[in-house]
Amino acid sequence: MSNSTSTPGIAAERLEGPALKDNFSDLHAPLSDHEALVAADRCYFCHDAPCMTACPTSIDIPLFIRQISTGTPEASAKTIFSQNILGGMCARVCPTETLCEEVCVREVAEGKPVEIGRLQRYATDTLMAQGEQPFERAASTGKTIAVVGAGPAGLACAHKLAMLGHDVVLFEARSKGGGLNEFGIAAYKSVDGFAQREVDWLLGIGGITLNYGQAIGDGLTLESLQADYDAVFLGMGLSGVNALRCEGEELAGVSDAVEFIADLRQAEDLRKVEVGRNVVVIGGGMTAVDAAVQSKLLGAQDVALVYRRGKEAMSASLYEQELATSKGVRIIYNAQPMKVAKSGKALSVEFAYTKTKKGKLTRTGESFNLPADQVFKAIGQTLEGAPDALAIDGGKITVDENGQTSVAGVWAGGDCASGGDDLTVTAVAEGRDAALNIHSTL
Ligand SMILES: Cc1cc2nc3c(=O)[nH]c(=O)nc-3n(C[C@H](O)[C@H](O)[C@H](O)COP(=O)(O)OP(=O)(O)OC[C@H]3O[C@@H](n4cnc5c(N)ncnc54)[C@H](O)[C@@H]3O)c2cc1C
Ligand code: SF4
């Protein structure tokens, strides 16, 4: 992505290689063997463990922590992977502060939870380093299922189906698997090519054929998949982005945060990624935080993240917000973009201050301007390319509690499907559960 010709304030090489390497290193260092034992020792192995209930994939957390305590991290990893085959990535990206760790009894009593996420990473890394898949396939059922999208939902669905003895043909629009694990997650959460290593490891189960560069709506139709396969699962995520709907959003220098992050994630050399000196990010979710933090880490001087409502309403957790401010991002709450204008060689964004009255967002009548070389839109993704035959609910494919769509023989899960949070772990849970339902239906 290069806007530098028309917006001179956007440039590459704002920082030297060593500084970038440092800035984009692992957000949380992996635990050593000794640290893992100490961390595991803090668990009370609660009966009716609240952490387990809070996990969307229902991992048996006390069991896997006990297995670490007893010096069997491989068995611990198997406990994790039996519920969540992307347990390695989830250990890195789950907002544990609002899931398992939030309800851990040690968080409630002492304000310091058991480090469930880091322990999960310790166990899964240990087993994955040995290379082998811990699961075997059941005897062949003779059925073949089409899975669309090789993101967390599609991969979890494909793996579970393969384990149950089905053959799977996976269709992926891009030239790489992993979905947003590869193209979206912040670089410092998934270092050293982990997303691709995880895809390769997961495919080691066998029985899954991955076809890259094949998209539904672009040569591939739902009808042809229905005709050729015993069932279809759609895990195509949300590939469109919402418009700001304010004057000037088409100006050079204004772009999608998701696209910026994808370019950054795919860059072989971070020095080549261009960033403004003054960056304004508009939005309130993980994408907004990640675009703002990574702009700062690339060397932007001033990064403002502007959200239209208050702190509590922001969908990025308080932890994520604190992470942003700790990296030097300025968060401005209660401000709505009104207009982007050209101001000399750079841009200027006009914001109106807002307040929430009886749940309704209103403008206060005051406004302010922020100078910017680069403006990122991060106000949510939208469903694109969903087959016309499917019922849509709130902009997503309508599914029931089993992931079944309105069309018989077609399931959907992950971000593209109705219900659930847009999180990696939720996509994994929905892909897995749809696979179980496909299996019992077939
Ligand atoms: C910038 C960003 C940061 C995030 N950070 C976090 C985080 O830190 N923690 C967290 O838990 N969640 C995070 N999320 C959310 C998380 O990444 C998603 O919820 C999750 O990836 C959804 O998985 P999915 O499989 O449904 O979709 P995706 O990951 O989007 O995968 C969908 C796949 O389908 C493919 N595809 C799309 N259309 C077609 C088509 N027509 N035909 C064939 N293939 C198609 C896509 O190329 C893609 O590979 C983040 C999201 C973004 C955008
Ligand atoms: S709630 Fe905390 S202490 Fe209890 S089992 Fe879960 S991790 Fe262990």
Side-chain angles (χ1 to χ4, degrees):
M1 185 187 66
S2 172
N3 294 309
S4 55
T5 43
S6 45
T7 44
I10 304 177
E13 297 191 55
R14 291 209 181 273
L15 294 178
E16 299 288 332
L20 286 172
K21 191 164 180 263
D22 199 37
N23 281 355
F24 284 89
S25 62
D26 225 333
L27 182 61
H28 301 292
L31 295 172
S32 67
D33 292 342
H34 177 69
E35 286 168 334
L37 287 175
V38 172
D41 203 40
R42 293 191 64 237
C43 180
Y44 292 147
F45 310 116
C46 308
H47 180 64
D48 289 336
C51 54
M52 192 171 155
T53 316
C55 172
T57 51
S58 310
I59 292 172
D60 191 336
I61 294 169
L63 175 61
F64 96 67
I65 296 180
R66 189 182 289 278
Q67 288 166 319
I68 292 175
S69 293
T70 55
T72 53
E74 292 85 357
S76 170
K78 212 169 163 189
T79 301
I80 296 161
F81 288 134
S82 62
Q83 288 295 109
N84 178 342
I85 197 64
L86 278 91
M89 183 58 83
C90 289
R92 289 160 167 79
V93 308
C94 262
T96 50
E97 66 280 0
T98 57
L99 297 169
C100 54
E101 292 181 13
E102 182 180 46
V103 297
C104 171
V105 296
R106 297 209 70 155
E107 165 66 23
V108 178
E110 301 160 38
K112 190 172 183 298
V114 173
E115 291 181 286
I116 302 169
R118 291 182 83 194
L119 284 166
Q120 178 165 318
R121 174 165 173 189
Y122 171 76
T124 51
D125 279 1
T126 304
L127 187 67
M128 285 175 80
Q130 297 170 9
E132 301 243 323
Q133 258 287 313
F135 303 106
E136 283 181 7
R137 297 187 66 194
S140 172
T141 60
K143 307 274 184 200
T144 308
I145 292 121
V147 172
V148 179
L155 289 170
C157 181
H159 185 273
K160 185 60 82 183
L161 288 168
M163 243 179 96
L164 293 166
H166 306 288
D167 286 330
V168 180
V169 181
L170 197 36
F171 297 95
E172 167 54 49
R174 296 201 191 237
S175 58
K176 270 183 175 178
L180 289 170
N181 286 355
E182 174 62 34
F183 292 92
I185 296 292
Y188 46 80
K189 289 186 185 171
S190 170
V191 300
D192 300 331
F194 180 76
Q196 282 315 294
R197 273 194 282 132
E198 186 177 52
V199 172
D200 294 343
W201 172 84
L202 180 150
L203 294 176
I205 183 91
I208 305 172
T209 309
L210 222 168
N211 294 322
Y212 292 114
Q214 294 203 25
I216 220 168
D218 182 18
L220 206 64
T221 63
L222 181 62
E223 293 70 27
S224 64
L225 294 178
Q226 284 178 288
D228 295 345
Y229 298 94
D230 295 294
V232 180
F233 173 80
L234 302 173
M236 55 209 285
L238 301 171
S239 47
V241 284
N242 281 318
L244 277 183
R245 274 179 290 202
C246 83
E247 198 184 323
E249 72 171 300
E250 72 295 337
L251 288 170
V254 183
S255 57
D256 297 333
V258 178
E259 198 186 317
F260 164 70
I261 294 168
D263 286 349
L264 189 151
R265 283 294 309 275
Q266 298 308 302
E268 285 192 359
D269 182 351
L270 285 175
R271 282 175 304 181
K272 301 278 182 281
V273 182
E274 298 182 329
V275 72
R277 211 177 275 290
N278 290 321
V279 176
V280 171
V281 183
I282 299 166
M286 276 187 182
T287 306
V289 167
D290 289 357
V293 170
Q294 290 178 111
S295 298
K296 193 75 191 154
L297 298 180
L298 281 173
Q301 185 181 300
D302 188 73
V303 180
L305 197 173
V306 189
Y307 176 55
R308 64 193 178 128
R309 295 180 188 271
K311 193 178 186 139
E312 305 298 330
M314 206 159 158
S315 65
S317 67
L318 290 177
Y319 168 83
E320 296 272 345
Q321 295 177 47
E322 276 161 23
L323 174 75
T325 50
S326 76
K327 301 288 181 195
V329 171
R330 188 159 55 107
I331 306 185
I332 301 172
Y333 300 101
N334 293 307
Q336 200 172 32
M338 303 295 292
K339 183 178 173 182
V340 186
K342 202 107 181 97
S343 168
K345 287 184 173 176
L347 301 169
S348 169
V349 194
E350 184 188 343
F351 289 93
Y353 280 112
T354 63
K355 61 181 176 192
T356 309
K357 239 183 178 176
K358 292 183 185 160
K360 206 167 171 267
L361 195 70
T362 54
R363 293 186 195 138
T364 64
E366 299 158 290
S367 65
F368 64 98
N369 285 287
L370 287 179
D373 306 302
Q374 198 167 24
V375 178
F376 290 122
K377 299 183 274 184
I379 50 168
Q381 284 91 250
T382 55
L383 180 64
E384 261 186 8
D388 291 340
L390 300 172
I392 302 290
D393 174 15
K396 295 193 171 197
I397 299 169
T398 310
V399 290
D400 66 13
E401 65 284 2
N402 296 315
Q404 293 197 31
T405 68
S406 57
V407 174
V410 182
W411 282 255
D415 286 2
C416 70
S418 60
D421 306 319
D422 288 349
L423 291 175
T424 310
V425 67
T426 318
V428 173
E430 291 173 6
R432 174 201 67 188
D433 293 347
L436 293 171
N437 194 254
I438 292 170
H439 179 65
S440 59
T441 306
L442 291 180

